[in-house]
Amino acid sequence: MASIARRVTDRFEPKFLDYLLRTEAYRAEYVRSSRGITTSRLRLYPPDFLNIPFVQPPLGEQRLIVRFLDWHGARTARLIRAKKKLVALLNEQKQAIVHRAVTRGLDPKVKLKPSGIPWLGDVPEGWAILPSQRVLKSRSAGGAPIKNTASLVELPGFVPAFSASGQDIWLSEAKFFGPGLVLSAVGARCGKTFKADGRWAVAANTHVLLVPESHSRDYWWYVTNLGDWWDRAGAAQPFVQVSKTLSKPWGFPKLEEQQAIVSFIEVASRELNAIIDMVSREIALLQEFRTRLIADAVTAIRRVRALAASLPEIAGEEPIDELPNGEDLDEAIGDTGNEEAAA
């Protein structure tokens, strides 16, 4: 593909071509011009790529379009970064509420006792301290289908299924029935758990945790999503050490108090979740507008020449297209949606 790019850049401003070829219209054309049996096996051959017509304004206008889009992108990137930081801070506040509730309960005057867990500290005197495996029944996803063999859309007769990213696929056969937890066991999101209900299934790189009726599934969902709860290993491909984690002791209350803790967290987080959802929608709208603006500018639907001519050259600024995706910020946005979808 690099050799193809060199053959056309003498008539194009490279950055203009980069903007043009990333538009949705061209992405759709790549798919239409590709060959293959299934979507995951499509291949775009060089002759087919070269048959795709390119929009080619005069070289000077291409440079003005690039100047405008870089200018707009740098400012949009700063705005989105600020909103992502706000979402991250709100999620930190929410996590502090959850951590306090599931590790200390709701009574600030309750007597405490040592838990024997260094990072947990003291727990309420009436709480049990037992290995988590005495409560959570672990089921490996060994033998489960890999994600790319599942349906990415809901089909008649198919059931919701969980990959390591959450409930984002569907499978033809249910393997589990009723409430449970699905652990993302491998990859960037390892250590996240998702709520599952009804009839459901899992894909590879997950682990199932079943909670008995004598405990609150939602309470344990909050516990297992604490940032430091799971033992992890691996660098290039991180994974959760499930058996090691579940063999460790944990302090937990009886069912009635678990349910009270869940209710408290839901009420205390309601306003924070509303703000997070609002800011996340604002980010999505900014990104949607940015995508539309690029498409309109490079195809001359929106004339930007006059405005671009009055703008300074952008130097040392970071356009939105190269905005770094800090994992903490992006996950802060994605986790809220995933929690709601999996609940």
Side-chain angles (χ1 to χ4, degrees), residues 6-23:
R6 286 196 293 271
R7 292 174 62 182
V8 297
T9 50
D10 58 337
R11 291 175 290 153
F12 285 91
E13 172 68 23
K15 190 63 181 292
F16 171 84
L17 200 59
D18 182 61
Y19 278 127
L20 177 69
L21 298 182
R22 291 174 183 266
T23 60

Side-chain angles (χ1 to χ4, degrees), residues 138-158:
S138 173
R139 299 288 185 272
S140 171
I146 58 176
K147 182 175 179 177
N148 64 7
T149 63
S151 173
L152 299 179
V153 297
E154 186 174 4
L155 297 174
F158 278 48

Side-chain angles (χ1 to χ4, degrees), residues 176-306:
F176 298 93
F177 305 87
L181 297 173
V182 180
L183 168 68
S184 175
V186 180
R189 292 179 62 81
C190 70
K192 297 289 183 184
T193 57
F194 310 97
K195 289 188 279 189
D197 289 286
R199 301 168 66 249
W200 47 281
V202 296
N205 297 330
T206 62
H207 211 94
V208 173
L209 301 171
L210 300 178
V211 184
E213 293 183 357
S214 56
H215 285 259
S216 166
R217 187 276 308 270
D218 290 359
Y219 167 82
W220 283 99
W221 177 66
Y222 283 119
V223 170
T224 55
N225 272 304
L226 293 176
D228 45 9
W229 202 77
W230 291 100
D231 287 294
R232 296 174 175 85
Q237 181 76 317
F239 63 92
V240 171
Q241 296 175 300
V242 178
S243 297
K244 181 180 178 180
T245 302
L246 296 182
S247 66
K248 290 183 176 181
W250 178 256
F252 52 87
K254 294 181 179 179
L255 176 60
E256 184 177 347
E257 189 172 354
Q258 291 180 23
Q259 293 170 334
I261 288 171
V262 169
S263 297
F264 169 80
I265 293 172
E266 290 175 350
V267 172
S269 302
R270 192 170 296 156
E271 185 175 354
L272 292 173
N273 285 335
I275 298 172
I276 290 169
D277 288 345
M278 179 185 69
V279 177
S280 299
R281 286 195 297 271
E282 291 173 355
I283 292 172
L285 289 172
L286 285 168
Q287 293 171 329
E288 182 181 335
F289 177 76
R290 170 70 178 170
T291 299
R292 185 68 224 177
L293 179 66
I294 291 173
D296 288 353
V298 297
T299 57
I301 294 176
R302 188 184 299 267
R303 307 292 288 187
V304 299
R305 183 192 311 173

Side-chain angles (χ1 to χ4, degrees), residues 122-134:
D122 295 341
V123 297
E125 194 173 49
W127 287 21
I129 301 177
L130 294 170
S132 302
Q133 63 191 11
R134 296 277 294 274

